[in-house]
Amino acid sequence: KRELPATLSITFAEDPPAYILNTKEAQPIQVSLSGVTSSHAATEEKLIVFDATSHMESDFIATNERAVVPIRHQVLVGISQAITNSLSDAQTPSATIIWEDNTKILLKIPEKPLIIISTDSMREKPYALTAILQSQQIDTFAEPISEIDARFNLPVLRTQQ
């Protein structure tokens, strides 16, 4: 390919998808890293799916916009990246993330205890979730851990009782 001097070339490319958002009233929505919703059909291949079916689409998508509300998007990307970073390359991200309300998010990940996080902790300390997910010590306790509540300064470990 030959270009003349002072030639301007512009290439447009779509942002890669970051996650899929399920809301009460719409089909699953594919969202890019920049928070823009895609008009393409959502595919669940290697993407984290967030279950917000107890919420209306307008709770997540800005009015008259094609983008997720920035504060919520920051939390969703943080969770998605923490889960993806904690897996080996051979593993496919598989998790059920339930956005219960503005203060409580439940993470159900296969072979891990239920993890409860807050939106504030994901904005302020996103690395904490990655540390919990990568921890090898969770499986070493005498009683199996059924739940990790990470809404506090230090995680609270709960057993079956």
Side-chain angles (χ1 to χ4, degrees), residues 75-118:
V75 171
L76 296 174
V77 167
I79 294 169
S80 180
Q81 288 176 340
I83 292 170
T84 304
N85 292 342
S86 69
L87 300 174
S88 69
D89 291 337
Q91 292 176 300
T92 301
S94 173
T96 303
I97 295 99
I98 302 169
W99 188 293
E100 286 219 336
D101 56 42
N102 287 333
T103 60
K104 187 177 179 183
I105 302 171
L106 305 177
L107 279 72
K108 296 178 180 179
I109 302 170
E111 300 175 20
K112 298 271 186 195
L114 174 70
I115 301 172
I116 303 169
I117 58 173
S118 70

Side-chain angles (χ1 to χ4, degrees), residues 15-16 19 29-39 66-68 73:
D15 251 355
Y19 57 87
I29 302 165
Q30 189 168 292
V31 182
S32 72
L33 279 173
S34 61
V36 177
T37 59
S38 174
S39 57
R66 287 193 34 211
V68 176
H73 177 67

Side-chain angles (χ1 to χ4, degrees), residues 3-7:
E3 291 188 18
L4 298 172
T7 301

Side-chain angles (χ1 to χ4, degrees), residues 3 11 28 36 43 50 55 67 79-80 85 91 122 127 129-130:
E3 291 188 18
T11 304
V36 177
T43 59
F50 290 90
H55 298 275
I79 294 169
S80 180
N85 292 342
Q91 292 176 300
M122 280 309 300
Y127 54 86
L129 179 58
T130 302

Side-chain angles (χ1 to χ4, degrees), residues 112-113 132-133 135-141 143 145 148 157:
K112 298 271 186 195
I132 290 170
L133 292 172
S135 174
Q136 301 296 321
Q137 298 173 340
I138 293 173
D139 300 327
T140 62
F141 292 98
E143 291 186 48
I145 304 297
I148 299 173
L157 307 178

Side-chain angles (χ1 to χ4, degrees), residues 27 48 153:
Q27 295 291 336
I48 303 296
N153 286 337

Side-chain angles (χ1 to χ4, degrees), residues 21-23 25-30 42 57:
L21 179 64
N22 287 331
T23 60
E25 61 204 19
Q27 295 291 336
I29 302 165
Q30 189 168 292
E57 183 177 328

